[in-house]
Amino acid sequence: MFSAVESRRLYRQVADQMRGLIERGELAPGSRLPAERELAQKLGVSRPTVREALIVLEVEGFIDIRMGSGIYVTARHAPAADMPPEDFEGPFELLRARAVVECAIAEEAARLARPEHIEILDDNLARMAAALEDRRQALAIDREFHVIVSSIIANQTLNRFVGSIHDMRMTPYFEKLASYFENTDTWRAAMEEHRAIRDAIAAGDPAAARAAMRAHLDQSQLRLSASFGEEPSDSTIPAAWRRAENSSS
């Protein structure tokens, strides 16, 4: 039934293949899909790629992801709206781009930061601490933190890049993904990771700032890589992301 897919934007290819099976009736409404790990093996792709494809299909209305139970085919009645375009990057692709750029930004920021920059970061962290139970506010403050770090370098191109890549999270696709994996605890963890970045920048330690930003993005990757409640999450995913995902997604 399933066959391995070839390289393009893999999560879209996986979604296309599964959508075709549903539309042809080979996967009937109410039927339960195999677990993520099994789907990844059948399709010859990574689990994060399968996860991205499943979110596309849920936003489109083809499947229903029930945490702790499984993934079920639904009877779709109307076309989905507000889906990202075909060439839109998935969350793991965005995180890899951020790892390349934002780690270098943090490193340079540690060389250039002045006391007034640290005060702005401290204000951001204080507001983040007060917003942990409000996802939309926390998300906005999270975006602001990363733009503040970038602004230390005083390069508008970098500021635009950092702001725009964070704005990509404001879509139905990312909203659906976040609804499974973002909560007060994950926002608190992100805030503490931000604090470690702030401390390294305040100490004027470029290597520590780069490492702290990388740790933050690795943890963000790990949070999004949690299983849909079917099996324990794989704690080795960040290493797999750097190794396998660079060649397969």
Side-chain angles (χ1 to χ4, degrees):
M1 182 180 292
F2 295 102
S3 60
V5 297
E6 298 177 358
S7 181
R8 183 171 45 110
R9 182 152 271 140
L10 286 183
Y11 83 98
R12 286 290 193 174
Q13 286 195 81
V14 171
D16 289 347
Q17 185 178 144
M18 296 176 70
R19 186 188 304 107
L21 292 171
I22 294 170
E23 290 177 333
R24 293 192 299 271
E26 296 181 48
L27 293 172
S31 62
R32 187 178 186 273
L33 294 181
E36 257 184 35
R37 187 183 297 277
E38 184 179 348
L39 283 172
Q41 291 171 346
K42 288 177 180 294
L43 293 160
V45 298
S46 68
R47 289 177 66 190
T49 296
V50 169
R51 187 171 296 109
E52 290 176 327
L54 292 173
I55 293 296
V56 167
L57 293 173
E58 185 172 38
V59 172
E60 290 179 339
F62 284 101
I63 64 171
D64 179 25
I65 299 171
R66 304 175 193 170
M67 295 293 281
S69 174
I71 304 157
Y72 297 85
V73 177
T74 61
R76 183 169 177 265
H77 300 295
D82 300 323
M83 278 303 297
E86 180 67 24
D87 61 350
F88 193 82
E89 298 88 348
F92 301 103
E93 191 171 353
L94 289 178
L95 280 168
R96 290 195 297 276
R98 289 181 61 193
V100 171
V101 177
E102 291 196 60
C103 292
I105 288 173
E107 181 177 3
E108 187 65 11
R111 295 189 178 100
L112 299 174
R114 300 189 301 272
E116 56 266 33
H117 295 133
I118 307 307
E119 290 178 8
I120 295 171
L121 288 172
D122 286 342
D123 175 72
N124 174 275
L125 288 168
R127 286 184 288 112
M128 183 73 160
L132 297 178
E133 296 184 6
D134 184 335
R135 179 190 174 272
R136 289 191 174 277
Q137 189 177 1
L139 184 62
I141 296 171
D142 174 78
R143 177 192 187 279
E144 180 186 295
F145 176 87
H146 290 274
V147 172
I148 292 168
V149 172
S150 176
S151 70
I152 294 171
I153 303 175
N155 183 300
Q156 288 302 313
T157 300
L158 287 175
N159 288 353
R160 280 196 299 273
F161 172 83
V162 172
S164 65
I165 205 168
H166 280 267
D167 289 342
M168 289 180 181
R169 297 188 294 176
M170 310 295 188
T171 67
Y173 175 91
F174 281 86
E175 289 279 340
K176 177 60 71 174
L177 183 65
S179 72
Y180 291 113
F181 304 115
E182 288 181 2
N183 53 53
T184 302
D185 290 337
T186 62
W187 281 118
R188 181 175 292 105
M191 180 187 68
E192 293 306 323
E193 292 154 19
H194 284 185
R195 194 179 306 280
I197 296 166
R198 175 266 180 213
D199 290 347
I201 291 174
D205 189 334
R210 184 183 189 94
M213 182 65 78
R214 185 56 192 245
H216 171 49
L217 295 175
D218 274 357
Q219 289 302 312
S220 296
Q221 160 72 14
L222 189 57
R223 284 188 283 270
L224 288 179
S225 294
S227 165
F228 285 126
E230 296 176 312
E231 54 191 305
S233 62
D234 184 347
S235 63
T236 67
I237 282 175
W241 163 38
R242 291 191 291 272
R243 185 174 59 254
E245 280 292 297
N246 281 333
S247 62
S248 65
S249 282

